Amino acid sequence: MSTPPAYFEAMYAGAVDPWDLAGRWYEQRKYALTLASLPRRRYRAAFEPGCSVGVLTARLAERCDRLLATDRMPSAVVSAAERTHALPQVEVRTLTIPDEWPDGTFDLIVLSELLHYFDDTALHEILGRTLDSLEPGGTLVAVHWNHPAPEHRRTGRDLAPVLAARPGLRLLTETHDPDFTLQTFWRRYPDGGAPPSPAAREGLCDRT
């Protein structure tokens, strides 16, 4: 089974930011690498489920025309909304995946330290909904905690090959850190192709 809601309720009952996302150097470094992995300078519409208190949300917003950030915990949604209140392109909403999923499509979806909470059935559904919502040529970023934890179903080392083998995705970058695995994917076009790389997009690959 997936991690039960009671776990998250207990965590947020004990602290506003139970993982100290705003304070830990681990988180700051991970977020910097996440942003650096994005192959495009700017995105039209992004989706960040499991946003918690919105620390990554605020940084992603700098690269997005529109960003939908969601979490299952109402207190986390309040904190994330307060953190991003001066960013009009950000919408924060209470939403529980995979049972609830937003309408529309996105050219960026960020799954940051989220997938390890789900069992095989829920994981399969989340990845299916992600691909359905991700526009051809869009970017998927997935970050996975590498250390075993009682409330996690799997580690990043388990999750990484599952995503890499998913039809419709092309792996762009993969970072294997002792603490986490970071993967960035293109959503393939219907003909199986992928967008040009950042250097190719700027014509650098044509230099002689």
Side-chain angles (χ1 to χ4, degrees), residues 170 172 186 195-208:
R170 176 180 175 181
L172 178 63
W186 294 117
S197 70
R201 190 185 297 273
E202 295 183 341
L204 298 177
C205 297
D206 299 328
R207 294 186 301 185
T208 58

Side-chain angles (χ1 to χ4, degrees), residues 175-189:
T175 300
H176 293 277
D177 187 90
D179 295 322
F180 62 88
T181 299
L182 187 155
Q183 298 174 292
T184 306
F185 299 90
W186 294 117
R187 175 73 163 94
R188 291 185 181 274
Y189 291 118

Side-chain angles (χ1 to χ4, degrees), residues 20-201:
D20 192 16
L21 304 181
R24 285 181 174 158
W25 169 243
Y26 162 76
E27 301 291 350
Q28 296 173 38
R29 174 175 174 269
K30 180 189 66 179
Y31 293 154
L33 289 170
T34 299
L35 291 165
S37 78
L38 299 179
R40 289 165 54 183
R41 187 188 300 270
R42 194 153 191 89
Y43 290 86
R44 177 189 61 81
F47 176 39
E48 183 202 1
C51 69
S52 188
V53 296
V55 180
L56 177 59
T57 308
R59 299 184 66 173
L60 285 171
E62 299 173 3
R63 306 275 293 274
C64 302
D65 296 333
R66 182 170 63 87
L67 170 58
L68 172 62
T70 68
D71 201 277
R72 69 181 300 158
M73 295 302 302
S75 63
V77 169
V78 169
S79 295
E82 291 174 348
R83 189 180 301 277
T84 59
H85 76 278
L87 303 172
Q89 71 271 42
V90 177
E91 176 187 1
V92 186
R93 189 191 307 172
T94 303
L95 182 147
T96 301
I97 65 168
D99 298 331
E100 300 172 301
W101 201 268
D103 296 329
T105 60
F106 306 90
D107 57 354
L108 172 63
I109 297 179
V110 178
L111 306 174
S112 183
E113 293 204 36
L114 177 67
L115 297 179
H116 49 235
Y117 291 115
F118 296 96
D119 60 21
D120 291 344
T121 300
L123 176 64
H124 177 78
E125 184 173 354
I126 290 168
L127 293 181
R129 285 179 175 266
T130 296
L131 284 173
D132 288 343
S133 299
L134 187 61
E135 298 170 359
T139 302
L140 168 64
V141 179
V143 185
H144 322 291
W145 177 246
N146 278 341
H147 301 286
E151 64 275 7
H152 296 176
R153 305 280 77 83
R154 50 180 64 81
T155 68
R157 295 178 181 86
D158 303 319
L159 283 162
V162 174
L163 272 73
R166 193 77 184 186
L169 293 176
R170 176 180 175 181
L171 184 64
L172 178 63
T173 61
E174 188 170 63
T175 300
H176 293 277
D177 187 90
D179 295 322
F180 62 88
T181 299
L182 187 155
Q183 298 174 292
T184 306
F185 299 90
W186 294 117
R187 175 73 163 94
R188 291 185 181 274
Y189 291 118
D191 64 2
S197 70
R201 190 185 297 273

